[in-house]
Amino acid sequence: MAPVPLHDPEPMHPLDHPTYRQGLTLLERDRPEDALELFTDVLAELPGHPAVHLQRGKARGMIGDLVGAAEDFGQAIAVDASEVAYEALFRRGLVRTEQLALADAVADLGWAIAMRPDRMGPYHHRGWARFLDGDLQGAVEDFSEVLRRRSDQVQTWFLRGRVRIDQEDFDGAMADFLVALVLAPDHPEAAFQFQLAAELSARHERRLADAPDDPEAPNDWAGHMARAELHRRTGDWVGAIADYFGALRHRINCPQARMGVAIAREALEHESRARVAAERIEQVPGDTAAFVRRADALRRLGKPEDACAVLLAARRVDAADPEVHAELGITLACWLRDPAGAMPHLDEALRREPNHVEARRHRALARRALGRQAEAIADFDMLEVLIPGDRTLHLNRGLAHEAVGDWEAAERDYGLGLRVTPNHDGLLWKRACARLALGRYAEAKHDLERALALRPELASALAGDACGPRADLEAALAAYARHRPDAVADQWAQVSALLVSPSGRCDGDEKVA
């Protein structure tokens, strides 16, 4: 009797899996963290299944894990070429737009359109991605395709109007905003944008009428930028916007010009609001967390000016959110190296939320950079209550104490930091310098030896310029000289002997356990 042939069992469909169905339910109930755990468990049993990767990507996107979401959508796309792949492409395009990987987002949404040309969603979102990427005409074409199919899409009318303002097609923008208002009379921003477009159109026409009398009209990027700055100083915000747009025609991705447009537009909107405050509908409330995420992505892409523009827009949406003020201050302080400009925003964040750790940390650092050491130390003291055991806190407070000549307090702070991270070469070096300043040579020598064992390149400090580690030592010895001028020469010789040797390392280095 012939043997019965064996067949592999049919693979289980995720809908037949109770854990998968439970995960779908949790997604519908807006519990993405719990759903993520369940989908991960299902993938352990059904590895590589595109439908499960798709749902796990949705969950990751909902909790803000954009990188993980993009990876899951990519897995779904790689495995399957059906409806699952279309949705994965579409959603990865949305995630990449949120990450400001705009070229990739446009590509994903384009593939989604190629797979399902009957769907309108990819056109709408590709239009938005193109707008963010500076492809204004492409954005208008995508939004127009949506409106050709469905003329009742209020948000698409509104967004096309916004793009047309940037194209300086003010009449077209007014027409789009008017349609949006007809379809949705209570639209929270279309009425104001219509008024703004009308005002821009009137001023633009006046400027065109005066153009023949203006022989200084620039025709290059630098000329437009220079004249835009002059307009800003005189409060001619429409003139500034026109010249920033002129600069963008020469360099479409110029961050200074984009930042200038955002600032000028905000000032112009403020003036317009003052005139029509009784009639204007307030801007639409929104999720400021999305603005903060976008600003963070822009900073990581090396576009801090654009991040500031996004955060200024977030402040218009919700001026009471301390996170927006904090992120604006952090952007100015860390990315734009403007601690003085950051201070008002950090102060406002802490006024609204006194226990905001990052706002207080960066205000302390900004105060230290501005030479306001006593105030910086007060902020660091508060941080010690909020985040006990943070070694960076002790290091920075030690630097503030050192700046005002309080070497005992600096040595104490460096020691507290070393309790948290015993083998931190920077803290060891700083404590050694503080101990030298206090005349405690034996303890300083021990710290120097440990620091050199961890970081041998410090041994070349005396041979280099008078900055960095060498400057630390010289400052410490100068402080010691005020108390024992007769001992400094001998002590410097001992330190030099410790640091410099034929091998380039200190003699008798001891390895730190």
Side-chain angles (χ1 to χ4, degrees):
M1 183 176 179
V4 177
L6 297 177
H7 298 283
D8 291 332
E10 289 294 325
M12 177 184 289
H13 191 278
L15 286 175
D16 298 328
H17 200 296
T19 305
Y20 177 81
R21 294 198 303 272
Q22 186 181 358
L24 294 178
T25 302
L26 290 172
L27 271 187
E28 292 175 357
R29 294 178 179 176
D30 200 21
R31 292 171 56 188
E33 295 89 350
D34 297 331
L36 176 59
E37 293 183 10
L38 295 182
F39 291 136
T40 302
D41 291 342
V42 175
L43 279 171
E45 300 181 34
L46 304 174
H49 199 289
V52 186
H53 277 295
L54 174 64
Q55 299 303 329
R56 191 171 73 168
K58 291 181 185 179
R60 282 178 160 177
M62 291 170 69
I63 63 176
D65 179 11
L66 302 183
V67 173
E71 289 176 357
D72 271 325
F73 294 144
Q75 290 285 339
I77 294 163
V79 174
D80 195 79
S82 64
E83 184 70 19
V84 172
Y86 160 76
E87 188 172 355
L89 275 167
F90 176 58
R91 290 185 176 276
R92 190 172 71 174
L94 301 185
V95 166
R96 284 176 162 175
T97 302
E98 187 71 17
Q99 291 176 311
L100 294 179
L102 299 172
D104 292 335
V106 170
D108 277 346
L109 293 166
W111 279 109
I113 289 170
M115 292 181 70
R116 296 290 186 273
D118 56 315
R119 305 290 177 87
M120 292 190 305
Y123 283 103
H124 177 89
H125 291 284
R126 189 175 69 174
W128 177 243
R130 282 176 159 177
F131 172 53
L132 294 177
D133 200 31
D135 180 8
L136 303 183
Q137 186 55 39
V140 168
E141 290 171 2
D142 278 336
F143 291 142
S144 298
E145 179 62 24
V146 175
L147 296 173
R148 183 184 68 79
R149 301 181 184 197
R150 286 283 300 273
S151 60
D152 60 346
Q153 298 298 303
V154 178
Q155 192 62 9
T156 307
W157 283 108
F158 175 77
L159 289 176
R160 193 174 73 171
R162 289 293 305 273
V163 177
R164 284 178 161 172
I165 284 184
D166 283 7
Q167 288 184 311
E168 300 184 47
D169 178 9
F170 302 117
D171 292 337
M174 284 190 288
D176 284 347
F177 294 136
L178 188 58
V179 174
L181 283 169
V182 170
L183 294 172
D186 294 331
H187 192 284
E189 200 180 355
F192 172 66
Q193 291 292 340
F194 177 84
Q195 294 163 349
L196 179 62
E199 186 172 345
L200 282 168
S201 178
R203 294 193 188 188
H204 187 67
E205 288 176 2
R206 289 197 296 271
R207 291 191 63 80
L208 288 177
D210 297 338
D213 301 324
D214 185 7
E216 303 296 326
N219 58 5
D220 62 347
W221 175 82
H224 280 293
M225 291 297 292
R227 199 168 76 165
E229 289 303 311
L230 290 175
H231 287 312
R232 278 183 60 182
R233 291 173 192 160
T234 59
D236 181 4
W237 301 110
V238 172
I241 289 174
D243 276 311
Y244 282 129
F245 280 144
L248 286 170
R249 280 194 287 272
H250 292 275
R251 297 184 188 176
I252 187 62
N253 291 320
C254 173
Q256 297 93 336
R258 288 190 174 192
M259 180 67 177
V261 169
I263 292 173
R265 181 176 283 159
E266 182 184 28
L268 187 60
E269 288 181 1
H270 180 74
E271 292 178 359
S272 300
R273 287 191 187 101
R275 286 193 296 274
V276 296
E279 303 172 6
R280 185 179 66 79
I281 301 172
E282 290 296 329
Q283 273 196 317
V284 59
D287 179 13
T288 54
F291 286 86
V292 171
R293 289 195 300 271
R294 182 172 300 161
D296 184 58
L298 283 164
R299 291 185 308 215
R300 294 173 190 275
L301 290 169
K303 300 178 179 180
E305 297 88 355
D306 288 359
C308 281
V310 169
L311 292 167
L312 288 170
R315 191 178 63 180
R316 292 200 301 272
V317 170
D318 186 1
D321 189 341
E323 195 67 28
V324 173
H325 294 285
E327 290 296 325
L328 193 51
I330 291 169
T331 304
L332 288 165
C334 296
W335 274 266
L336 294 174
R337 300 292 187 268
D338 183 10
M343 286 300 300
H345 304 291
L346 296 170
D347 288 341
E348 181 63 16
L350 289 169
R351 185 182 73 80
R352 296 181 179 278
E353 177 48 71
N355 292 333
H356 195 295
V357 171
E358 290 305 311
R360 193 166 292 279
R361 185 200 305 276
H362 284 87
R363 189 175 74 171
L365 294 173
R367 283 174 163 177
R368 184 162 67 79
L370 293 169
R372 296 159 59 178
Q373 307 299 344
E375 295 170 295
I377 290 168
D379 272 337
F380 286 129
D381 290 342
M382 177 63 75
L383 281 170
E384 191 172 28
V385 176
L386 296 174
I387 48 170
D390 187 311
R391 65 170 173 78
T392 60
L393 158 67
H394 297 303
L395 174 61
N396 284 296
R397 188 170 63 181
L399 293 172
H401 282 303
E402 189 177 306
V404 296
D406 189 350
W407 291 95
E408 289 185 1
E411 191 269 346
R412 182 173 61 250
D413 268 325
Y414 300 143
L416 290 171
L418 285 165
R419 289 184 187 178
V420 180
T421 313
N423 292 336
H424 189 282
D425 60 275
L427 283 166
L428 284 165
W429 182 270
K430 296 300 294 185
R431 188 172 71 171
C433 293
R435 286 174 166 177
L436 281 175
L438 295 170
R440 293 155 56 181
Y441 176 73
E443 294 169 293
K445 180 175 182 293
H446 178 67
D447 280 345
L448 286 172
E449 289 173 342
R450 290 179 61 196
L452 286 163
L454 293 166
R455 190 178 169 197
E457 59 267 25
L458 289 173
S460 61
L462 293 179
D465 297 330
C467 61
R470 179 176 172 181
D472 290 339
L473 288 174
E474 291 181 346
L477 291 173
Y480 184 65
R482 287 194 287 271
H483 304 289
R484 290 286 307 278
D486 56 319
V488 170
D490 291 338
Q491 195 172 41
W492 181 255
Q494 289 174 307
V495 171
S496 300
L498 176 66
L499 291 176
V500 180
S501 71
S503 65
R505 299 211 24 203
C506 68
D507 296 325
D509 278 346
E510 297 178 5
K511 295 294 182 183
V512 179

